[in-house]
């Protein structure tokens, strides 16, 4: 992160990020859940100010990113992609920094993956999630 290898932006190319997420190859998965109707719905949420993207650039090109929905103090991560090593990791680290700066108190990564656990993600009981959600919304 300190090497300056990557540059970051927020909401500068939402459509490119969601399209790249839809096209990302995922081991063990056949196809994508990010179908045209979902892209249209999330694009509408983006225009309304609810869905956001975080972009990772290297040498001026988009090499990674993520998108999700922010409601109050919660960011609900939907998907991420990378085309160069470490770009999605950098996106998660930058999202955490954005969260601290902008009052996001919880990031819902929706699925427990080794990638997210590496950054401190933990599963919490539903009752705790709902309590936190209520407080942060």
């Amino acid at each position: 992160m300190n090497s300056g290898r990557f540059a970051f932006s927020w909401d500068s190319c939402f459509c490119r990020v969601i399209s790249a997420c839809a096209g990302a190859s995922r081991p063990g998965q056949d196809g994508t859940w990010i179908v045209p109707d979902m892209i249209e719905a999330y694009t509408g949420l983006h225009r309304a100010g609810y869905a956001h993207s975080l972009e990772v650039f290297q040498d001026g090109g988009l090499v990674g990113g993520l998108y999700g929905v922010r409601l109050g103090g919660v960011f609900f991560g939907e998907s991420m992609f990378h085309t160069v090593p470490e770009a999605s990791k950098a996106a998660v680290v930058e999202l955490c920094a954005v969260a601290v700066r902008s009052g996001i108190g919880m990031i819902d990564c929706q699925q427990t993956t080794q990638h997210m656990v590496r950054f401190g993600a933990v599963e919490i009981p539903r009752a705790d999630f709902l309590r936190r959600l209520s407080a942060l919304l």
Side-chain angles (χ1 to χ4, degrees), residues 29 39-40 49 57 77 94 98 106-108 111 132 136:
Q29 293 182 4
I39 292 173
E40 182 179 338
F57 296 92
E94 182 66 13
V98 168
M106 181 170 65
I107 298 170
D108 177 11
Q111 294 191 25
R132 292 179 189 191
L136 292 166

Side-chain angles (χ1 to χ4, degrees), residues 20-34 78-81:
C21 288
S25 174
R26 301 186 196 294
Q29 293 182 4
D30 184 26
T32 182
W33 68 96
I34 309 170
E78 287 295 323
S79 188
M80 64 176 57
F81 83 98

Side-chain angles (χ1 to χ4, degrees), residues 22-82:
S25 174
R26 301 186 196 294
Q29 293 182 4
D30 184 26
T32 182
W33 68 96
I34 309 170
V35 296
D37 285 347
M38 284 194 62
I39 292 173
E40 182 179 338
Y42 277 94
T43 301
L45 288 171
H46 175 67
R47 282 193 301 270
Y50 296 104
H52 302 281
S53 61
L54 188 146
E55 301 87 21
V56 182
F57 296 92
Q58 184 177 37
D59 299 326
L62 181 66
V63 296
L66 56 82
Y67 76 97
V69 172
R70 179 176 182 181
L71 297 174
V74 183
F75 185 84
F76 301 89
E78 287 295 323
S79 188
M80 64 176 57
F81 83 98
H82 69 277

